[in-house]
Amino acid sequence: MNNETIICECGHVNKVGTEMCAACGKPLTDKAQQEGVNMRYEGAAIRSKKRKVTLLDRIWGFFSSVKVGIWIIVLLLLASALGTIFPQDNLRPGLEEPAAFYEREYGAPGLAYYNLGLHELYSSWWYITLIIALGVSIIVASFDRGIPLYKALKAQRVTRHKHFMTRQRLYSKSTIAHPDDELTKVAEALKQKRYKVRVENGNILAEKNRFARWGPYVNHVGLILFLIGCLARYIPGMYVDTSMWIREGERAPIPETDSEYFVENRGFSISLYDEEDERFQEAFESGQSVVPEAFETDAVLYKREGLIGDGDLEMIEEKLIRVNDPLTFDSLSLYQTDYRLNELNQMTFTLENKETNETFGEMTINLIDPEKHYDLGDGYSVVLENYYPNFYMNSNNEPSTLNQIPDNPYFIFNMITPETPEGETSFVGIQQNLEPLGDNDYKMTFVDVDLVNVSILTVRKDLTLPLLIAGGTIFIIGLVQGSYWAHRRVWLQKSGEDVLIAAHTNRNWMSFQREVEQSVKDTALTPPKDQEEETDQDTKGA
């Protein structure tokens, strides 16, 4: 024996830490001699079980630990569950500011959820770190145990050490006159049961379903592919799941395409279930009175030719985007997922003298892209000093906006006239006309409003899906491989007129024992007994 290897008396060279010889099964340590055989990894030397010497050994031992792997999985499950308490930022509806949304919808817990960063949990560095740690743990554990197991099974010989035979759970000893004939009969019977039989010096090793031992490792391969697929979603361009709002008549760049593709909304239409239809009366009574039957967007896809800013748009495709019938191009799909009817689009005001009620021109404000200055002619003009599309008073009691959707537009105008060249300030909202700096001579008077329908499209791209499907499929294959089949081995060994029978499997011991008994029933050999069961009975009897 040297510092790296142990040479068994059979001549096989084993690594230090091996509990029993991989070839003949002779115990190589005091522990193996006293406690019996370790069939989980065939007694092979596991690197993580060796003495920790270097930093790499300690890191290897840490990640190969089953306990560490389980803790990582538990932490991932808890974190994943935590992320489902409230919707993630990319899944929340509307375009409202995140802090305002979580506080408005869920109160103090929602605000705490936002402040702790849980609204973007699945893209947080620590969550990604946990996924990577789980992947490293699976890879290290697979190499740590899989390679020694493979070498041990590959090196196993037919003739095994007596200690190995007697310490197997199923074991029997027979003394007969002509053992060779009996062993031949048993070998033929085992072949009938699809065992692969090897004969060496008259001894027999029958084995089947060895591939079942690799089920857990196939599982690991599937999990690794699945985790790689999950991590690949964080690579730009691999995964897109966002939404875009596009109003009728609008042409807008599609997110995540670097303004290479544009989509135009030629019109939005919706059809509702007939409220008078007797077939739906029960549903209408239990739910809303207005239920959409279908809605669609008449869309046109464009692609930019040339540089951003001076390129022309080439029409690529026209399509009616319906629910579950997306517009698909260049790995991207536009799904019709939601809509808004009659959204405020434009508002028209006139400048009015409060005393004479005389008006001076009209100005129309585009609520999505308002202008700064409006010239009404004859020395009358209005400057839009500030605009709040969805007005509210923030915690500092200052005017602010929840988002850029014009649900509750408010304006701060500076009205300039020949009589007031310095201008007068007016704070105008829906049914509100305030004068925060004192009484004015003029006011802004509402004239008209223009409404528009909005299509809400989901932009989706997922290049990780093949990896996820492959990983999930391989995982299921490994699960079936390791769960449905069992690795079964039977050893028959001569020692003079004595014949030793030992057998081992990793599950389904009763059916395995029955299978071995059937193989030896027409011979003079004693069927193997379950030593573990006999020990339990002796213990109970005592």
Side-chain angles (χ1 to χ4, degrees):
M1 182 174 65
N2 57 34
N3 293 331
E4 299 295 333
T5 60
I6 302 174
I7 301 176
C8 179
E9 65 182 20
C10 71
H12 185 76
V13 179
N14 301 276
K15 285 190 175 181
V16 171
T18 304
E19 294 183 8
M20 67 178 186
C21 176
C24 70
K26 178 188 176 183
L28 300 178
T29 63
D30 294 339
K31 178 182 177 183
Q33 289 179 349
Q34 296 171 2
E35 298 181 0
V37 295
N38 179 4
M39 298 299 287
R40 175 172 293 182
Y41 307 113
E42 305 292 309
I46 306 299
R47 174 173 178 172
S48 60
K49 303 296 182 183
K50 294 180 181 177
R51 184 167 58 92
K52 308 296 188 297
V53 179
T54 65
L55 178 62
L56 179 61
D57 291 334
R58 295 183 184 279
I59 295 174
W60 184 276
F62 176 80
F63 281 106
S64 66
S65 168
V66 175
K67 291 182 180 178
V68 171
I70 291 174
W71 270 111
I72 294 174
I73 292 173
V74 169
L75 290 175
L76 269 173
L77 290 175
L78 290 176
S80 300
L82 202 60
T84 61
I85 294 178
F86 301 131
Q88 290 289 289
D89 186 51
N90 63 326
L91 297 177
R92 65 184 174 83
L95 302 177
E96 193 175 352
E97 292 298 322
F101 169 79
Y102 286 102
E103 185 175 18
R104 177 176 56 79
E105 288 289 328
Y106 309 108
L111 185 59
Y113 192 79
Y114 169 77
N115 289 331
L116 290 173
L118 298 178
H119 66 299
E120 294 179 335
L121 182 144
Y122 300 123
S123 58
S124 62
W125 66 267
W126 60 271
Y127 188 82
I128 295 174
T129 301
L130 280 176
I131 294 178
I132 295 174
L134 179 60
V136 172
S137 176
I138 292 173
I139 292 173
V140 171
S142 298
F143 280 100
D144 189 59
R145 294 160 174 80
I147 292 178
L149 176 62
Y150 170 78
K151 291 181 176 178
L153 289 176
K154 186 179 180 181
Q156 67 175 340
R157 294 176 181 173
V158 175
T159 303
R160 308 305 293 255
H161 193 272
K162 185 178 180 181
H163 176 92
F164 177 88
M165 299 290 288
T166 57
R167 297 301 179 94
Q168 293 298 327
R169 179 170 170 175
L170 296 185
Y171 171 76
S172 70
K173 178 181 177 182
S174 308
T175 302
I176 57 178
H178 304 288
D180 290 336
D181 296 338
E182 303 302 303
L183 290 179
T184 302
K185 292 179 183 177
V186 176
E188 289 300 322
L190 290 171
K191 285 181 181 178
Q192 295 293 323
K193 296 183 181 298
R194 300 188 303 279
Y195 278 80
K196 182 180 179 182
V197 176
R198 292 168 55 194
V199 181
E200 180 184 273
N201 301 324
N203 301 320
I204 293 174
L205 167 60
E207 181 180 23
K208 75 174 181 182
N209 300 339
R210 184 193 290 189
F211 70 93
R213 296 291 291 270
W214 311 120
Y217 303 97
V218 174
N219 279 347
H220 290 179
V221 173
L223 282 174
I224 291 298
L225 285 178
F226 196 87
L227 292 177
I228 291 174
C230 293
L231 291 175
R233 291 191 167 201
Y234 300 108
I235 300 175
M238 293 292 288
Y239 179 75
V240 175
D241 187 4
T242 186
S243 62
M244 66 179 297
W245 292 37
I246 182 165
R247 294 159 180 83
E248 287 179 311
E250 185 183 7
R251 180 187 298 172
I254 299 174
E256 306 292 338
T257 64
D258 294 330
S259 297
E260 182 181 3
Y261 289 97
F262 286 69
V263 64
E264 179 183 352
N265 182 354
R266 284 184 173 173
F268 175 81
S269 59
I270 182 171
S271 59
L272 306 177
Y273 283 105
D274 186 359
E275 297 181 37
E276 304 300 327
D277 194 323
E278 295 181 355
R279 296 175 298 172
F280 308 131
Q281 291 309 305
E282 186 176 346
F284 280 120
E285 290 174 0
S286 60
Q288 299 178 350
S289 59
V290 177
V291 179
E293 181 180 11
F295 50 93
E296 61 188 22
T297 299
D298 184 2
V300 183
L301 176 68
Y302 296 92
K303 183 176 183 180
R304 180 182 294 279
E305 298 291 337
L307 299 176
I308 295 177
D310 61 358
D312 295 327
L313 294 180
E314 178 189 1
M315 189 177 74
I316 303 299
E317 184 178 356
E318 297 177 70
K319 182 177 176 60
L320 287 174
I321 304 178
R322 302 185 178 94
V323 177
N324 297 326
D325 184 15
L327 168 61
T328 301
F329 62 97
D330 196 17
S331 303
L332 281 162
S333 295
L334 298 180
Y335 287 89
Q336 180 76 62
T337 52
D338 207 349
Y339 60 86
R340 281 170 62 93
L341 298 178
N342 302 321
E343 182 186 271
L344 294 173
N345 185 42
Q346 293 181 336
M347 295 183 77
T348 302
F349 295 90
T350 185
L351 182 62
E352 181 179 352
N353 187 303
K354 293 169 59 178
E355 183 176 352
T356 65
N357 295 330
E358 184 181 3
T359 59
F360 303 91
E362 290 186 353
M363 51 180 282
T364 299
I365 301 176
N366 186 319
L367 299 181
I368 304 302
D369 185 20
E371 297 178 9
K372 179 69 176 177
H373 182 266
Y374 297 86
D375 186 0
L376 304 181
D378 299 328
Y380 294 88
S381 65
V382 175
V383 177
L384 181 58
E385 297 288 354
N386 226 325
Y387 168 49
Y388 307 97
N390 199 352
F391 172 78
Y392 83 109
M393 296 298 290
N394 63 22
S395 56
N396 296 325
N397 202 29
E398 296 173 345
S400 186
T401 183
L402 291 171
N403 50 46
Q404 298 304 311
I405 302 173
D407 284 339
N408 186 25
Y410 269 70
F411 311 89
I412 296 180
F413 294 119
N414 186 22
M415 302 172 293
I416 300 172
T417 67
E419 293 81 13
T420 58
E422 298 298 324
E424 294 178 322
T425 300
S426 178
F427 189 35
V428 179
I430 296 177
Q431 297 184 341
Q432 292 229 4
N433 202 323
L434 307 176
E435 297 174 355
L437 302 182
D439 292 339
N440 296 332
D441 295 331
Y442 291 84
K443 68 176 182 179
M444 300 298 299
T445 301
F446 174 75
V447 176
D448 196 9
V449 64
D450 177 55
L451 304 177
V452 68
N453 295 329
V454 183
S455 287
I456 302 176
L457 305 177
T458 293
V459 184
R460 188 163 294 161
K461 175 183 180 181
D462 193 353
L463 299 182
T464 69
L465 205 55
L467 273 175
L468 298 178
I469 293 175
T473 303
I474 293 174
F475 178 83
I476 295 299
I477 291 173
L479 191 65
V480 173
Q481 178 181 343
S483 303
Y484 185 75
W485 287 279
H487 184 204
R488 293 180 171 181
R489 282 175 290 177
V490 182
W491 295 271
L492 295 99
Q493 196 160 303
K494 295 184 300 180
S495 177
E497 292 186 345
D498 293 339
V499 176
L500 308 181
I501 302 178
H504 177 80
T505 185
N506 51 343
R507 65 172 59 84
N508 302 331
W509 285 92
M510 290 184 65
S511 64
F512 178 49
Q513 185 177 8
R514 190 162 52 247
E515 189 174 62
V516 178
E517 288 174 349
Q518 291 172 353
S519 301
V520 302
K521 67 178 182 179
D522 295 328
T523 68
L525 298 174
T526 302
K529 304 296 183 185
D530 190 334
Q531 300 191 100
E532 189 173 297
E533 184 177 326
E534 290 181 346
T535 303
D536 290 342
Q537 290 176 352
D538 292 343
T539 303
K540 291 177 182 177

